[in-house]
Amino acid sequence: MERTYVMVKPDGVQRGLVGEILSRIEKRGLKLAALRMNVMDEAIAKEHYKEHSERPFFASLVEYVTSGPSVSMVVEGKDSIKIMRAVNGATNPVEAVPGTIRGDFSIETGRNVVHASDAPESAEREIALHFEESEITGYTRIDEGQLYE
Ligand code: IDP
């Protein structure tokens, strides 16, 4: 099983979308392995988005993700990284198709509601940045026998 790091960003929390987003993830068949709400520390946010540190939007991006509580999670399942990227939709909501979280609930790239790791290396790095291994649970969903061939 593959793990990925997913976040409901502060705009998603303040717009009351946490339940909707968790529901979409669960209904898809992915497993919530860890879940937490907190205000992300500025140093953690800078580390999380370090690949964008030279970009003009870096300061406003760090300000955005630390501006209020966000919901961090570890999501688990076969191909969870690619599936969560598809569930979230394109980075720019203008290009995000309806049916995706960004395509249904957002307008601008700078307020695009959700994050999900984009590759196995970033998933591993982001999970380790935001969670202790002891916070990540292990259990069986009762529908796993039907979700997987
Ligand atoms: P991703 O979130 O879909 O992985 P990235 O290109 O890694 O997309 O960008 C990370 C985040 O940085 C985006 O989700 C968005 O919040 C923000 N961002 C990216 N490009 C821009 C921009 O041009 N203006 C403002 N914010 C941006």
Side-chain angles (χ1 to χ4, degrees):
M1 286 296 155
E2 187 174 74
R3 285 173 174 175
T4 187
Y5 172 74
V6 177
M7 173 186 20
V8 183
K9 295 173 175 178
D11 51 335
V13 173
Q14 288 171 43
R15 291 175 56 203
L17 294 172
V18 173
E20 169 76 31
I21 291 164
L22 293 181
S23 179
R24 287 182 180 215
I25 295 168
E26 288 188 296
K27 283 183 193 157
R28 181 63 186 259
L30 294 170
K31 189 192 299 184
L32 298 172
L35 186 64
R36 179 207 307 127
M37 176 184 272
N38 70 328
V39 178
M40 195 180 289
D41 183 74
E42 189 183 319
I44 302 274
K46 284 181 173 162
E47 180 64 24
H48 176 92
Y49 282 121
K50 70 178 181 189
E51 68 170 311
H52 297 306
S53 62
E54 304 302 321
R55 307 285 282 277
F57 59 82
F58 182 67
S60 62
L61 174 58
V62 170
E63 196 179 326
Y64 161 43
V65 293
T66 60
S67 64
S70 54
V71 172
S72 278
M73 63 198 105
V74 177
V75 171
E76 198 174 280
K78 185 168 179 236
D79 291 322
S80 63
I81 295 171
K82 283 189 177 152
I83 291 175
M84 271 313 310
R85 296 287 294 184
V87 166
N88 282 0
T91 304
N92 182 346
V94 173
E95 280 142 30
V97 295
T100 65
I101 292 168
R102 287 163 170 170
D104 288 346
F105 300 118
S106 63
I107 300 283
E108 280 195 320
T109 304
R111 293 290 181 274
N112 61 2
V113 181
V114 277
H115 166 85
S117 313
D118 64 1
E121 304 71 39
S122 50
E124 198 177 323
R125 186 181 79 83
E126 291 169 10
I127 289 167
L129 179 65
H130 296 285
F131 287 96
E132 302 288 339
E133 193 58 39
S134 61
E135 292 178 281
I136 304 170
T137 64
Y139 64 98
T140 306
R141 278 182 60 133
I142 59 166
D143 54 5
E144 279 175 26
Q146 298 299 330
L147 279 165
Y148 295 103
E149 195 177 345

